[in-house]
């Protein structure tokens, strides 16, 4: 059963820790700021005040017993870097770091971070994808070549049956399921009539997916 | 054809603007800091230096001609708020704001922001979801009751045919597609043998999805 330690309980770190607790995981929260530790004390499994650049302090809380330690310190890069180096020296299995830019990411990976996240940049790119394809509700990549996307039925297809819409021939995509209000139809039949408000889950190669997005 | 203006070209704002430009959209970037404007001048369709709390300056760049304006100013809440108020007074159609906490979000919505994003909090929650279900590659919600999830085939199912795995009866989920290396099989047949490394795209009610996540 995985256990997590989160060092740095700012916006990113605290929401990470609280969400993991919500999911039933044991979380140790660490921050050097006493008011922050106090505020979260009864919301996270265990919260301690310590300076994470101090290897002895990390050892004292048995940091290596955690499968994953997240270093969620952004604006103090030196503390972030020293903490990451300390965690890897103590042989913590997986260390995930926040960073503020690519230069920091490169350095952290070089000193042994297993993964580095740039939350603000990723959030900006994510919002852009959403704004760029407003009819598209969501999408997941299936390998590097294919995607499943969820989209509102395009106006130009409303009233057509699946057979008439002819999506496989026109766009190379297959409708996996359709959600109409609360009813889900998996592998809908060819005579199913597409109705305004239907949510379609379709699968196809990424180039094909791009072409249907143009319909939206 | 939608056009976007992004006010505040920090990490969140700049990556939003650059990603929209990559997607072929016309973007106006605004920042009061000259070095930032200079650095992005040849990467964004159009970049201007101005103080976004100045309604006249906003009018001078024809801000109402943009369908969507994003206020990506975080640490200066007063500027964020005044800018949002100015944009709505000028009747900008859609205003999306960044905010640093729930209190700021409430205030911005109250003065007319159409949507408020908390990027660091959302990034923390998103990482938590990923860490919480490591066998699960990705997921999309299909309405409030169902999800499509992409998962690595659980070890306990390797070597079984789809019929033997009996996922619909055991877990209430349907396999929509399977990716093996670069081959995608949509609606795989009952005699398809699940192999180590296969990526499954399955659909089901959220409670059922939670139960198969326990297998991972
Ligand atoms: N050496 C350290 N040991 C423990 N905690 C630390 C240390 N340095 C910073 N912190 C804590 O990390 C938290 C987050 O740090 P900071 O605010 O610098 O990052 P941020 O990236 O701006 O945060 P946010 O996630 O809110 O965007 C703060 O609560 C701070 O007290
Ligand atoms: N009144 C203003 N008019 C125009 N630009 C502004 C104004 N106030 C702040 N900015 C710009 O907004 C940008 C982002 O602001 P700030 O750094 O405060 O936000 P942040 O949320 O910390 O950024 P990040 O997206 O990097 O996390 C900065 O480049 C700053 O110059």
């Amino acid at each position: 059963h995985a256990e997590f330690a989160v060092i740095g309980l700012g916006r990113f770190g605290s929401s990470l820790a609280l969400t993991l607790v919500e999911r039933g995981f044991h979380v140790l929260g660490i921050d050097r700021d006493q008011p922050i530790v106090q505020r979260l004390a009864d919301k996270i499994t265990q919260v301690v005040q310590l300076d994470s650049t101090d290897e002895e302090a990390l050892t004292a809380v048995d940091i290596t017993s955690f499968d994953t330690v997240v270093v969620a310190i952004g604006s103090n890069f030196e503390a972030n870097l020293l903490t990451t180096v300390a965690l890897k020296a103590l042989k913590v299995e997986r260390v995930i770091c926040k960073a503020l830019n690519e230069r920091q990411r490169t350095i952290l990976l070089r000193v042994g971070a297993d993964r580095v996240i740039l939350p603000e940049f990723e959030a900006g790119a994510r919002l852009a994808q959403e704004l760029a394809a407003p009819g598209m509700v969501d999408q997941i990549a299936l390998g590097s070549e294919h995607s499943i996307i969820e989209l509102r039925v395009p106006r130009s297809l409303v009233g057509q049956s699946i057979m008439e819409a002819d999506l496989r021939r026109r766009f190379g995509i297959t409708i996996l399921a359709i959600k109409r209000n609360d009813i889900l139809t998996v592998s809908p039949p060819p005579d199913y009539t597409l109705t305004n408000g239907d949510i379609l889950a379709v699968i196809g190669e990424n180039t094909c997916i791009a072409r249907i997005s143009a319909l939206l």
Side-chain angles (χ1 to χ4, degrees), chain A:
Chain A
H1 202 317
E3 292 192 349
F4 300 90
V6 180
I7 299 174
L9 299 171
R11 284 162 226 122
F12 174 71
S14 65
S15 90
L16 167 65
L18 292 168
T19 306
L20 286 170
V21 168
E22 262 174 52
R23 295 299 192 82
F25 291 93
H26 178 115
V27 179
L28 168 66
I30 293 171
D31 203 291
R32 67 177 170 189
D33 192 69
Q34 180 58 25
I36 287 178
V37 168
Q38 210 124 17
R39 178 167 58 80
L40 291 168
D42 58 356
K43 298 200 176 84
I44 296 174
T45 324
Q46 200 189 343
V47 195
V48 293
Q49 178 187 11
L50 63 86
D51 186 326
S52 59
T53 60
D54 180 350
E55 238 179 86
E56 284 187 25
L58 291 176
T59 308
V61 296
D62 204 14
I63 199 74
T64 50
S65 66
F66 296 92
D67 316 88
T68 299
V69 180
V70 181
V71 186
I73 299 168
S75 47
N76 184 348
F77 182 59
E78 184 175 354
N80 188 339
L81 183 57
L82 293 177
T83 299
T84 300
V85 169
L87 293 170
K88 279 299 173 184
L90 291 170
K91 306 244 183 292
V92 168
E93 194 172 318
R94 178 164 63 159
V95 177
I96 299 175
C97 302
K98 165 174 176 169
L100 294 188
N101 55 53
E102 290 297 341
R103 201 196 89 256
Q104 290 186 358
R105 162 144 62 190
T106 305
I107 295 170
L108 289 165
L109 288 171
R110 202 163 291 168
V111 302
D114 297 284
R115 182 175 164 193
V116 180
I117 296 174
L118 271 51
E120 297 88 350
F121 285 104
E122 294 177 20
R126 190 179 305 275
L127 177 61
Q129 305 224 15
E130 212 184 304
L131 296 179
M136 196 163 86
V137 182
D138 211 342
Q139 79 175 91
I140 52 182
L142 202 65
S144 55
E145 308 275 313
H146 298 86
S147 295
I148 293 176
I149 71 167
E150 185 184 341
L151 58 141
R152 290 180 241 286
V153 65
R155 199 160 298 168
S156 56
L157 300 182
V158 169
Q160 297 184 20
S161 70
I162 289 186
M163 185 153 117
E164 289 167 328
D166 206 12
L167 297 177
R168 201 170 310 191
R169 196 189 56 78
R170 289 171 64 198
F171 294 97
I173 63 170
T174 303
I175 299 183
L176 298 173
I178 300 185
K179 195 142 202 308
R180 176 178 300 176
N181 306 320
D182 279 331
I183 313 289
L184 181 74
T185 307
V186 180
S187 303
D191 61 356
Y192 185 105
T193 304
L194 298 167
T195 307
N196 193 19
D198 282 356
I199 305 285
L200 313 181
V202 308
I203 190 168
E205 286 187 22
N206 291 334
T207 43
C208 305
I209 295 286
R211 272 189 281 137
I212 198 170
S213 303
L215 264 191
L216 301 167

